[in-house]
């Protein structure tokens, strides 16, 4: 369980100093409510500090305190601000790793995790699971540095969360698409449109996490920057060796100065020795720094860790790609069906137009003979009947000729 106390390595008077500054600014301000003085507006936020032993505390810290403690610029800490929407990011810095993956926003150092406090289930799960693993690891160490264990849990929860969302979307999309393929209506089309929007949004999130992990795996320098425990140990060893060498050199110089009488020649020789000693010291410093900076970092451990979760997130991305292809195939099938229906309507319209044309010819002949005209056809009692029969046969032959022509031009199915 998290305790709401101030940390030992953070200033105890952070909240007090912040509120006193706000009161002073309100007292000496310009009186305009919409204007803030420089340095104001960086309010305290709720953070969860988890140390390497699995103990967690809830803190109220302002941005400047976190920046000073972790040696981070403001632009890196801005990635963790919930007021802004930034894509998934993993940044390796000199003394910290800045992580912004989905709902988990935290700063990982060599011996602690500063987590943005939230009521989100992923944040609460990350806090409880990390504390549990650290307490278990205290008795059964797994060989991973603290920062990698913290980063591994962030990647694990992020990949599990995204994979669960992908599976949930699959269970919802496939039945809707099958129903749409069998019955094309407005309701099913609207459901598919909504699900396609969710698919595109989820694909962008998964793609960004996948690209971020792949970018880290392709850059050995970024992976080397994340070995915070090793860099911290190297720095401590360097400072200890530096202080020991300085004490040894100064002790030798002081002993030589006491034992030998002072003369101009000997003082000049002593100065040369002192300069030579300092030059040797500086060269040893430079050699140790260059050796540590030029040596190839052992990044296999981190690369294997990233590769494990890259496979998981890439699998989720492949599922989304398959789902999108299935949606595209269903849309193509629907378009084919609609085009087929449209072709059938056009064919029916063509037949109807031909029949209308033939019937118009027949109606025109009957209309002509229906007028009061003086002609010898009406003298024969069967003349009108023969006229009707011949006209009907002609219209029928004309309609059949139209059908043969349409089939010859492949406008109608055979």
């Amino acid at each position: 369980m998290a305790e709401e106390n101030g940390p030992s390595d953070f200033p105890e008077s952070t909240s007090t100093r912040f509120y006193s500054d706000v009161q002073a600014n309100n007292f000496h301000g310009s009186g305009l409510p919409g204007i803030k003085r420089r340095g104001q507006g960086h309010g305290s936020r709720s953070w969860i500090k988890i140390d390497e032993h699995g103990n967690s505390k809830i803190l109220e810290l302002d941005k400047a305190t976190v920046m000073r403690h972790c040696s981070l610029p403001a632009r890196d800490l801005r990635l963790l601000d919930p007021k802004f929407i930034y894509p998934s990011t993993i940044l390796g810095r000199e003394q910290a790793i800045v992580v912004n993956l989905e709902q988990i926003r935290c700063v990982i150092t060599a011996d602690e995790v500063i987590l943005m406090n939230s009521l989100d289930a992923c944040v609460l799960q990350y806090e409880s699971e990390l504390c549990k693993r650290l307490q278990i690891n205290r008795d059964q160490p797994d060989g991973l540095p603290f920062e990698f264990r913290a980063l591994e849990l962030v990647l694990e929860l992020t990949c599990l969360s995204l994979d669960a969302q992908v599976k949930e979307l699959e269970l919802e999309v496939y039945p809707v698409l099958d129903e749409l393929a069998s019955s094309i209506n407005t309701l099913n089309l609207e459901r598919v449109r909504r699900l396609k929007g969710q698919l595109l949004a989820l694909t962008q999130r998964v793609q960004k996490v996948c690209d971020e992990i792949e970018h880290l795996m392709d850059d050995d320098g970024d992976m080397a920057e994340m070995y915070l425990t090793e860099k911290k140990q190297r720095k401590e060893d360097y400072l200890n060796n530096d202080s020991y060498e300085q004490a040894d050199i100064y002790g030798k110089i002081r002993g030589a100065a006491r034992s030998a009488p002072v003369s101009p020649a000997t003082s000049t020789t002593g100065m040369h020795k002192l300069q030579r000693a300092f030059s040797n010291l500086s060269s040893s410093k430079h050699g140790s720094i260059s050796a540590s900076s030029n040596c190839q970092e052992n990044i296999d451990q981190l690369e294997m860790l990233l590769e494990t979760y890259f496979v998981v997130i890439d699998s989720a991305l492949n599922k989304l790609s398959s789902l999108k292809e299935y949606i595209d195939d269903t849309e193509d099938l629907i378009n084919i069906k609609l085009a087929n229906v449209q072709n059938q309507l056009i064919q029916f319209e063509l037949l109807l137009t031909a029949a209308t044309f033939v019937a118009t010819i027949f109606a025109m002949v009957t209309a002509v003979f229906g007028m009061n005209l003086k002609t010898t056809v009406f003298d024969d009692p069967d003349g009108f009947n023969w006229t009707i029969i011949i006209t009907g046969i002609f219209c029928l032959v004309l309609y059949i000729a139209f059908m043969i022509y349409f089939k010859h031009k492949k406008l109608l199915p055979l």
Side-chain angles (χ1 to χ4, degrees):
M1 297 296 292
E3 301 177 359
E4 192 168 356
N5 294 320
S8 58
D9 48 353
F10 285 100
E12 296 290 342
S13 59
T14 302
S15 302
T16 306
R17 184 176 66 253
F18 170 72
Y19 290 117
S20 63
D21 291 342
V22 171
Q23 293 176 358
N25 289 332
N26 292 335
F27 180 77
H28 298 289
S30 59
L32 298 178
I35 299 178
K36 295 182 179 181
R37 299 182 60 185
R38 186 173 62 181
Q40 188 178 350
H42 302 290
S44 297
R45 295 187 181 277
S46 180
W47 300 81
I48 301 176
K49 176 195 170 185
I50 305 174
D51 60 17
E52 57 185 348
H53 301 296
N55 302 318
S56 63
K57 297 180 181 179
I58 298 179
L59 312 173
E60 292 292 333
L61 302 172
D62 58 358
K63 184 183 295 186
T65 304
V66 179
M67 289 167 53
R68 288 193 303 267
H69 178 73
C70 301
S71 300
L72 293 175
R75 62 178 177 272
D76 289 347
L77 205 59
R78 197 180 301 121
L79 298 173
L80 307 181
D81 198 332
K83 294 181 180 179
F84 301 100
I85 300 177
Y86 288 100
S88 298
T89 308
I90 302 175
L91 298 177
R93 293 296 183 251
E94 181 64 27
Q95 298 182 15
I97 301 175
V98 182
V99 180
N100 177 17
L101 292 180
E102 292 297 309
Q103 302 300 324
I104 302 178
R105 304 166 184 237
C106 63
V107 179
I108 303 174
T109 64
D111 50 9
E112 64 185 5
V113 175
I114 305 174
L115 176 67
M116 179 74 72
N117 195 4
S118 174
L119 297 178
D120 189 85
C122 290
V123 176
L124 300 178
Q125 184 180 3
Y126 177 78
E127 178 192 2
S128 60
E129 186 67 22
L130 181 59
C131 293
K132 178 181 178 181
R133 292 188 182 185
L134 291 175
Q135 291 173 358
I136 295 176
N137 184 261
R138 189 189 310 175
D139 301 328
Q140 300 175 355
D142 55 2
L144 281 177
F146 171 80
E147 62 271 16
F148 290 168
R149 293 200 298 269
L151 181 61
E152 180 185 16
L153 184 57
V154 175
L155 294 172
E156 179 181 344
L157 294 180
T158 301
C159 293
L160 290 178
S161 175
L162 292 175
D163 189 63
Q165 295 179 42
V166 170
K167 291 181 179 178
E168 182 180 357
L169 190 61
E170 282 181 333
L171 295 176
E172 190 175 0
V173 167
Y174 283 117
V176 174
L177 292 177
D178 295 338
E179 184 177 356
L180 179 62
S182 59
S183 175
I184 303 174
N185 53 50
T186 306
L187 179 60
N188 290 335
L189 289 174
E190 178 62 26
R191 293 171 63 187
V192 171
R193 186 194 64 82
R194 177 179 55 84
L195 292 174
K196 190 174 182 180
Q198 296 179 5
L199 173 65
L200 294 177
L202 184 59
T203 302
Q204 291 178 356
R205 291 162 51 196
V206 175
Q207 182 68 55
K208 183 56 184 175
V209 176
C210 185
D211 292 343
E212 191 66 27
I213 297 177
E214 186 177 9
H215 172 72
L216 287 176
M217 293 172 59
D218 293 339
D219 196 332
D220 294 348
D222 289 345
M223 285 192 289
E225 284 290 331
M226 295 185 179
Y227 280 77
L228 303 179
T229 302
E230 184 176 346
K231 289 194 294 185
K232 181 181 178 182
Q233 185 65 34
R234 189 187 306 151
K235 183 178 179 181
E236 292 177 353
D237 295 340
Y238 172 73
L239 293 177
N240 292 333
N241 294 333
D242 185 20
S243 60
Y244 176 77
E245 289 178 1
Q246 287 183 357
D248 187 25
I249 291 173
Y250 281 119
K252 291 180 179 179
I253 294 173
R254 190 176 302 170
R258 289 180 179 177
S259 61
V262 179
S263 65
T266 56
S267 62
T268 305
T269 306
M271 289 296 297
H272 285 303
K273 291 181 178 180
L274 181 61
Q275 291 177 358
R276 191 161 47 251
F278 276 111
S279 64
N280 293 333
L281 177 61
S282 61
S283 63
S284 63
K285 288 183 183 179
H286 179 72
S288 61
I289 294 175
S290 61
S292 61
S293 61
N294 293 330
C295 67
Q296 178 65 25
E297 296 285 350
N298 184 17
I299 58 175
D300 294 340
Q301 194 176 31
L302 179 58
E303 188 173 6
M304 292 177 61
L305 176 65
L306 294 175
E307 186 177 358
T308 300
Y309 294 99
F310 177 77
V311 172
V312 177
I313 203 69
D314 188 64
S315 175
L317 188 60
N318 291 333
K319 292 179 182 178
L320 292 174
S321 300
S322 301
L323 193 59
K324 186 177 183 302
E325 291 178 359
Y326 192 78
I327 292 178
D328 294 338
D329 294 341
T330 305
E331 290 179 348
D332 294 338
L333 177 62
I334 292 173
N335 292 331
I336 292 173
K337 287 186 176 181
L338 293 177
N340 186 31
V341 173
Q342 187 177 7
N343 292 335
Q344 292 177 358
L345 292 175
I346 292 174
Q347 293 172 2
F348 178 75
E349 184 181 2
L350 186 62
L351 295 175
L352 187 61
T353 302
T356 304
F357 177 74
V358 172
T360 303
I361 295 176
F362 185 83
M364 183 183 67
V365 173
T366 56
V368 169
F369 282 95
M371 297 181 181
N372 295 325
L373 300 176
K374 293 181 179 181
T375 177
T376 58
V377 177
F378 294 104
D379 297 338
D380 188 0
D382 297 330
F384 183 75
N385 294 333
W386 281 106
T387 302
I388 296 297
I389 292 173
I390 293 173
T391 304
I393 293 174
F394 173 76
C395 291
L396 180 61
V397 171
L398 182 62
Y399 187 75
I400 293 174
F402 274 127
M403 296 297 101
I404 295 174
Y405 176 78
F406 291 154
K407 289 186 177 181
H408 177 70
K409 294 295 183 180
K410 297 182 179 180
L411 298 177
L412 293 176
L414 298 176

